Amino acid sequence: MNYWLMKSEPSAFSIDDLKKRPAHKSPWDGVRNYQARNFMRDDMRRGDLAFFYHSSCPEPAIAGIVQVVSEAYPDATQFDPGSAYFDPKATREAPIWWLVDVEFQQKLQPFITLLQLRKTPGLEEMMILRRGSRLSITPVTEEEWRIVEALTYLAC
DNA sequence: GCCAACGTTGGC
DNA sequence: GCCAACGTTGGC
């Protein structure tokens, strides 16, 4: 099993939005970066866990935990001319963009802020904390996962 | 709004 | 294949 961190702008799609979806599930659509796509298409497995990260907002933070609940399949928005994520180069026969479904597991209370992550020993190498890191989906090591989880327990 | 750090595009 | 120009991301 692998661990991940997935970014989303809460103004577009937040952890609460995911919880409100039918069965607490949603396709992780709209990813238009090849590296992030490859992680979903090639490396994610049903049962993997991911931090749901809120980006581009007043307080960037890990807001919750989600689980990967599907194998990778084509992102339907690439075929939809009405979608902001439409890709004219994609066809049903040769899709370009792939995604997985994620299911709400829990909301962290409180959120683990970016500032807090930066201050925490053991997380120095975390991909999201690296200078200039913009990838919307990044792998998280088991060690990093445990350290972040411990932060939430401490807060209780 | 600024800007650093990337990724993508396209001319050559 | 190089690389300049341009677009995007996302923290601040």
Side-chain angles (χ1 to χ4, degrees):
Chain A
M1 162 157 108
N2 291 313
Y3 298 101
W4 305 93
L5 182 143
M6 303 170 84
K7 292 185 194 173
S8 180
E9 300 189 17
S11 58
F13 189 66
S14 70
I15 188 79
D16 289 328
D17 293 330
L18 176 60
K19 193 177 179 182
K20 279 183 248 166
R21 289 292 177 89
H24 298 178
K25 289 198 296 193
S26 172
W28 197 262
D29 59 17
V31 170
R32 293 296 179 269
N33 169 283
Y34 289 107
Q35 234 183 314
R37 176 206 65 182
N38 292 348
F39 281 138
M40 286 199 282
R41 190 190 59 186
D42 306 332
D43 300 321
M44 279 192 181
R45 293 290 174 268
R46 210 176 260 140
D48 284 359
L49 295 174
F51 290 128
F52 190 120
Y53 179 86
H54 284 176
S55 65
S56 291
C57 55
E59 191 149 71
I62 293 174
I65 293 176
V66 302
Q67 184 166 40
V68 176
V69 290
S70 77
E71 299 300 310
Y73 63 96
D75 181 340
T77 63
Q78 70 192 305
F79 309 123
D80 176 6
S83 166
Y85 302 120
F86 177 63
D87 186 338
K89 294 194 290 294
T91 64
R92 302 263 174 195
E93 295 70 34
I96 298 173
W97 306 108
W98 298 68
L99 53 66
V100 297
D101 290 339
V102 298
E103 180 185 282
F104 175 87
Q105 293 286 111
Q106 69 176 112
K107 185 174 170 177
L108 299 189
Q109 282 162 345
F111 292 175
I112 306 296
T113 66
L114 179 59
L115 250 66
Q116 200 177 348
L117 293 174
R118 288 197 192 286
K119 282 190 308 192
T120 304
L123 298 182
E124 294 85 357
E125 300 299 312
M126 214 173 161
M127 282 187 74
I128 193 171
L129 301 182
R130 299 223 185 116
R131 189 177 166 75
S133 166
R134 300 179 312 168
L135 250 192
S136 66
I137 297 178
T138 51
V140 170
T141 68
E142 192 176 350
E143 176 71 8
E144 288 162 350
W145 184 272
R146 269 190 273 117
I147 291 172
V148 173
E149 270 196 330
L151 289 176
T152 71
Y153 298 144
L154 280 176
C156 288

